[in-house]
Amino acid sequence: MGRDRSRSVTPDRRDRGRYRSRSRSPRERERDRDRRKDSRRYDEDDNDRRRRDRHRSESRDRSRSVDHKSRRRRDRSGSSERERKKRKREKSEERKARKAEKKRAKEEEEARRVAELSVYSATDNPFHDVNLDQQFRWHKKNEKERKQGLSLAEAQRRDAIRKQEAKEELERLNRRRAEREAEQRLREEEEMRMQRMAESVQMADWMAKEEDFQLEQERTRAIIRIKEKRAKAIDFLALNLRYVDPVNEEEDDELTKEGLEIDLDEPYNIVDSLTPQQVEELHDDIERYLSLEQSDTAIEFWTNMMVVTKDALERIKASQRMGAEAAAAVEADITALLQGKSYDHLVQLQRQIQAKLSSGEPIDVEYWEGLLKKLLVWKAKAKLKTLHEVVVRNRLEQLRKRQRDEALQAQEELLAGVAKSAQRGDVRGVAPPDTAEQNAAEEVEPYDRSMSPPLIDIRKLHHEERQIDILTTIEDLRYLMQQRRAVSGTRFIPKTVEAAPEQQEKEAPSNADLAEALYRAEAERELDEEEELFNVEESIARPTSYNWEDKYRPRKPRYFNRVHTGYEWNKYNQTHYDTDNPPPKVVQGYKFNIFYPDLIDKSKAPTYKIIKEPGNDETVLLHFSAGPPYEDIAFRIVNRDWEFSHKRGFRSSFDRGCLSLWFNFRRNFYRK
């Protein structure tokens, strides 16, 4: 009440208001009336505010009084409230995700509609057009159409027709592009298939060339072994097989110069004179030739020889199992039955035996199966005999041709000599034939009984000696001549296996013998594919005079050297060459083996040094020197850095009279 009175209007103010109201205009009076209404409204609002404050304070007191009663209840419901809020928050996040997904799908649909009329998209925008995703509007065209009097509906219809045509054209272009891509893919697949076929053909050619090279190497090794008198049975068979087809003149002359001639005996007879170990070795060699041969005739020859060799191995095993006498008796019966029959007769006999086995009659099946098995062996022998006749016929024809050529050449030389003698007018008499040999009679010493051994009384012999077959002189001579003809008719005579001699104390071999053995072993060792002989000695410009020449005669040491060559696949060669067109070979190392078996002072090993010549940077001289009685020798090698690591093949040793110096050149690798 006090506050209301304090805000009431005093009498002076009221009088001043009345005076003002009388003196003011109606508009000002209306403004004062509104102001008074506002002041009353403010007083009412103030009263309401005080009432609300009082009510709020009372409710706060009540809430404090009951707060401790409901605190436990709120604690219980707090967790459920938090979970409810959390679920609500998750629902809001899912709602936002769905809205974002709808918005993205809408944008993609809009982009797809835009891309239908254009080959470009927002991800493929090569012209950096900022308005690419917006529809293009041709305002000038629309203005022109408006000036021409076209209505909006007609213009939209024409635009729709043009858009449809553009869409069809775009679809047609897309189909063409898909067809071109499919054709390109098929073309690439066809090219890849053709390339694979070409590579397969090339690989087959390489394998065929490799097999031909291996076969030629086998034939070459056979010729070398025959020349060096250490031939095996397979070597003569391979030599005979070269004459199955007519041999050209160059190859025939080469074989004739080397003194190689075919074996006139049938090839299957070579098995009879071999030991069991040699037969097994022949079997392995035939398998190797079978894997390398390409011609049908050669394959047939080696196949038949394989049949004969397997039969020989089976006979050896049978003799070991049954005994030599029983196996020989069975073999003699079969040989007597099948020997001398032709191939056609053997085929007919095979059919008869097969028919007998399949007839079901009560027969000795084991005997007839064994006979059929031996029949296949004799069929192989018949084929080999036919091939051997072809070989002999071709060889005889070549010999006759060579004799005719030599006779014609001799006749031409004789006629030329007679013509020259006739021009000079020389007259020579013909010497009378020598009749001394015709008239000379060889004196024959008369036979005396004392020349022959005394006769043996058969009654005085033991029972075992009586069981020995008795041969007459004529039979013994006939058997001896048969053996001589067999030896003279064949070129392959296997070495007899001698019994091991008793162990005796042998003298230790000398250093010279060891060096000789090392030299032979080194000379007989085959060269690798990337090795070549290097036995070209370089003459020393200023020969050294030795102070021991008055005691020992100087002589050159023996040596057997090799040079290692290969391809160097550096960056340049990899760019300009390949495996079909390889780069030139370069020297990659040397192997020097110099033999000093008779060195006087064996405590001092031979030495070597490198001598560089002025003005020659490509090569140097490798100078070897030793003590008496050997002279110094030198070889010219490539001037490059050596690799001194034993892992890289370096070797420098002097053992048992042999100086070994092996080294490879260092390879340089450059990095950018």
Side-chain angles (χ1 to χ4, degrees):
M1 295 294 293
R3 289 183 182 178
D4 295 338
R5 270 197 238 79
S6 64
R7 292 190 179 185
S8 63
V9 183
T10 59
D12 296 336
R13 290 181 181 177
R14 195 180 296 119
D15 295 337
R16 284 196 299 268
R18 290 195 191 104
Y19 176 75
R20 287 174 184 167
S21 62
R22 292 192 194 104
S23 60
R24 292 179 182 178
S25 62
R27 189 172 183 179
E28 289 178 355
R29 287 196 299 270
E30 181 141 0
R31 192 182 299 123
D32 291 338
R33 193 182 303 114
D34 293 337
R35 193 181 296 118
R36 285 193 296 271
K37 288 180 182 180
D38 292 338
S39 64
R40 284 195 301 270
R41 193 181 299 113
Y42 176 76
D43 293 338
E44 293 175 359
D45 292 339
D46 191 13
N47 294 331
D48 293 337
R49 187 167 53 254
R50 282 197 298 270
R51 282 195 300 271
R52 284 196 301 271
D53 291 340
R54 188 167 52 250
H55 180 70
R56 191 180 295 114
S57 62
E58 292 175 358
S59 63
R60 191 182 297 114
D61 294 337
R62 283 194 304 270
S63 64
R64 285 196 190 100
S65 64
V66 297
D67 185 35
H68 66 279
K69 297 180 181 179
S70 60
R71 186 175 300 167
R72 185 176 299 175
R73 192 180 302 163
R74 287 198 305 270
D75 292 340
R76 294 176 180 174
S77 62
S79 58
S80 60
E81 184 69 21
R82 285 194 298 270
E83 292 178 359
R84 186 166 55 254
K85 290 181 179 180
K86 185 177 180 181
R87 286 195 298 270
K88 186 176 181 181
R89 190 163 52 251
E90 290 177 354
K91 290 181 179 179
S92 63
E93 292 177 357
E94 293 177 358
R95 192 180 302 110
K96 290 180 181 178
R98 286 197 300 271
K99 288 182 179 180
E101 183 68 25
K102 290 181 180 179
K103 185 177 181 181
R104 185 165 58 254
K106 186 176 180 181
E107 291 176 355
E108 290 178 357
E109 182 66 21
E110 184 67 22
R112 188 185 63 79
R113 287 199 302 269
V114 173
E116 288 181 354
L117 300 177
S118 175
V119 295
Y120 303 107
S121 62
T123 57
D124 185 13
N125 190 2
F127 305 106
H128 306 288
D129 188 1
V130 296
N131 300 322
L132 184 64
D133 56 348
Q134 299 178 4
Q135 187 176 5
F136 175 72
R137 297 184 182 279
W138 200 346
H139 299 285
K140 290 187 177 181
K141 182 182 74 66
N142 296 337
E143 185 179 354
K144 183 179 179 181
E145 290 176 350
R146 234 181 358 259
K147 290 180 179 179
Q148 291 178 356
L150 293 176
S151 62
L152 181 60
E154 188 175 356
Q156 290 178 354
R157 185 177 59 80
R158 293 176 60 181
D159 291 341
I161 294 173
R162 188 165 56 252
K163 288 179 182 179
Q164 184 66 24
E165 293 177 354
K167 185 176 180 180
E168 293 176 357
E169 181 68 20
L170 185 61
E171 291 177 354
R172 187 163 56 253
L173 292 176
N174 289 335
R175 284 198 304 272
R176 290 290 303 278
R177 182 172 62 181
E179 292 174 358
R180 287 196 303 272
E181 291 177 355
E183 292 176 358
Q184 180 68 18
R185 185 168 59 255
L186 293 175
R187 193 181 305 110
E188 291 176 357
E189 292 177 357
E190 183 68 18
E191 290 177 357
M192 290 294 294
R193 189 178 65 83
M194 295 299 294
Q195 185 177 0
R196 286 195 298 270
M197 291 179 60
E199 291 177 356
S200 300
V201 172
Q202 189 176 11
M203 183 62 68
D205 293 342
W206 285 347
M207 293 179 67
K209 290 179 181 178
E210 182 180 2
E211 292 178 356
D212 294 341
F213 174 76
Q214 294 292 341
L215 179 60
E216 191 63 29
Q217 289 295 107
E218 290 289 340
R219 293 174 178 174
T220 305
R221 282 194 285 268
I223 293 175
I224 292 174
R225 285 194 292 266
I226 293 175
K227 287 194 302 182
E228 296 180 355
K229 308 300 182 183
R230 53 185 182 88
K232 299 190 296 184
I234 193 68
D235 300 335
F236 290 99
L237 296 177
L239 180 62
N240 283 13
L241 189 59
R242 297 171 74 100
Y243 290 95
V244 171
D245 298 326
V247 184
N248 53 21
E249 295 182 359
E250 295 181 359
E251 187 175 359
D252 186 23
D253 295 340
E254 181 181 357
L255 296 176
T256 304
K257 289 179 182 178
E258 293 175 354
L260 302 179
E261 192 53 67
I262 63 172
D263 192 356
L264 297 178
D265 198 5
E266 282 80 4
Y268 53 84
N269 290 333
I270 200 171
V271 183
D272 299 335
S273 57
L274 298 178
T275 61
Q277 292 79 10
Q278 291 174 344
V279 174
E280 292 179 358
E281 185 180 1
L282 178 61
H283 180 271
D284 297 338
D285 294 337
I286 292 174
E287 283 185 346
R288 186 167 62 254
Y289 271 94
L290 265 176
S291 62
L292 297 176
E293 286 288 357
Q294 300 292 335
S295 63
D296 297 337
T297 306
I299 292 175
E300 182 183 3
F301 175 81
W302 291 119
T303 304
N304 295 325
M305 280 302 303
M306 178 66 73
V307 173
V308 175
T309 308
K310 287 183 178 179
D311 178 67
L313 290 175
E314 291 179 358
R315 282 192 281 114
I316 292 172
K317 294 178 181 178
S319 63
Q320 294 176 356
R321 185 177 62 255
M322 301 169 51
E325 296 180 357
V330 174
E331 187 67 25
D333 294 340
I334 296 176
T335 302
L337 180 63
L338 300 177
Q339 189 176 13
K341 290 182 171 56
S342 62
Y343 181 78
D344 296 335
H345 194 182
L346 291 173
V347 172
Q348 184 179 1
L349 186 59
Q350 180 183 3
R351 294 173 181 172
Q352 294 176 0
I353 295 174
Q354 290 175 350
K356 183 180 289 293
L357 288 173
S358 60
S359 62
E361 299 177 357
I363 57 175
D364 188 357
V365 179
E366 184 178 358
Y367 170 76
W368 290 106
E369 287 181 351
L371 182 60
L372 182 62
K373 194 173 182 180
K374 291 293 182 180
L375 185 62
L376 298 177
V377 178
W378 282 94
K379 284 176 63 179
K381 290 182 179 180
K383 290 183 180 179
L384 290 174
K385 186 176 181 180
T386 304
L387 288 175
H388 184 67
E389 292 175 356
V390 175
V391 169
V392 174
R393 185 165 57 252
N394 291 339
R395 183 56 179 163
L396 290 177
E397 183 64 27
Q398 291 173 358
L399 292 176
R400 292 192 188 98
K401 183 179 179 181
R402 187 190 306 161
Q403 290 177 356
R404 287 194 297 269
D405 295 341
E406 292 177 356
L408 290 175
Q409 185 178 0
Q411 184 178 3
E412 291 176 358
E413 293 177 356
L414 182 62
L415 291 176
V418 171
K420 291 181 181 179
S421 300
Q423 291 177 0
R424 289 195 302 267
D426 296 341
V427 178
R428 298 180 181 179
V430 180
D434 189 8
T435 59
E437 295 181 358
Q438 298 178 1
N439 298 329
E442 185 177 358
E443 296 182 0
V444 179
E445 185 178 359
Y447 173 74
D448 188 16
R449 181 69 186 80
S450 61
M451 297 180 181
S452 299
L455 298 177
I456 299 175
D457 189 0
I458 193 173
R459 294 172 297 177
K460 298 180 180 180
L461 297 177
H462 297 287
H463 177 71
E464 293 80 4
E465 295 178 351
R466 294 179 184 178
Q467 300 301 323
I468 299 175
D469 295 336
I470 299 175
L471 298 179
T472 61
T473 305
I474 297 175
E475 292 177 350
D476 186 34
L477 183 60
R478 186 183 298 112
Y479 179 75
L480 179 61
M481 296 303 297
Q482 182 180 358
Q483 294 294 326
R484 287 180 178 177
R485 282 195 297 270
V487 171
S488 61
T490 179
R491 299 195 65 233
F492 175 73
I493 303 175
K495 296 181 180 179
T496 58
V497 180
E498 299 179 357
E502 297 180 358
Q503 296 292 336
Q504 299 179 358
E505 294 183 359
K506 297 182 179 180
E507 298 181 357
S510 62
N511 202 11
D513 296 337
L514 291 175
E516 182 68 22
L518 289 175
Y519 178 79
R520 290 181 179 178
E522 188 68 24
E524 292 177 359
R525 188 169 67 88
E526 296 181 359
L527 297 175
D528 295 339
E529 294 183 359
E530 298 180 351
E531 287 184 352
E532 297 178 4
L533 292 178
F534 182 68
N535 294 330
V536 180
E537 183 181 348
E538 190 72 16
S539 60
I540 301 176
R542 297 179 181 178
T544 307
S545 60
Y546 309 101
N547 53 6
W548 42 264
E549 290 183 358
D550 53 345
K551 295 183 180 180
Y552 310 102
R553 183 174 61 86
R555 57 180 175 176
K556 293 282 187 180
R558 301 172 71 183
Y559 50 83
F560 199 89
N561 306 330
R562 291 180 172 89
V563 57
H564 181 241
T565 60
Y567 303 113
E568 188 170 345
W569 292 104
N570 51 25
K571 205 67 177 177
Y572 179 84
N573 290 343
Q574 291 179 7
T575 305
H576 295 81
Y577 300 97
D578 54 11
T579 55
D580 296 335
N581 184 21
K585 284 188 175 183
V586 296
V587 177
Q588 296 180 348
Y590 295 92
K591 289 184 179 180
F592 292 95
N593 299 283
I594 305 175
F595 300 90
Y596 299 98
D598 300 328
L599 198 62
I600 301 300
D601 189 1
K602 296 181 174 58
S603 61
K604 295 181 180 179
T607 59
Y608 65 90
K609 60 181 178 179
I610 297 176
I611 301 176
K612 294 184 178 181
E613 297 177 341
N616 187 3
D617 297 334
E618 299 293 333
T619 59
V620 294
L621 289 178
L622 184 59
H623 189 274
F624 294 91
S625 61
Y630 293 103
E631 298 180 358
D632 297 349
I633 58 175
F635 300 94
R636 186 173 296 278
I637 64 174
V638 179
N639 185 15
R640 290 176 60 184
D641 295 336
W642 293 11
E643 187 69 58
F644 291 99
S645 174
H646 291 282
K647 296 181 180 179
R648 301 290 184 179
F650 180 78
R651 178 180 179 183
S652 177
S653 63
F654 180 67
D655 184 25
R656 292 180 292 183
C658 176
L659 174 63
S660 299
L661 178 62
W662 298 0
F663 59 89
N664 292 322
F665 292 129
R666 184 175 299 169
R667 298 180 62 185
N668 298 322
F669 297 95
Y670 300 97
R671 295 183 178 177
K672 294 183 179 180

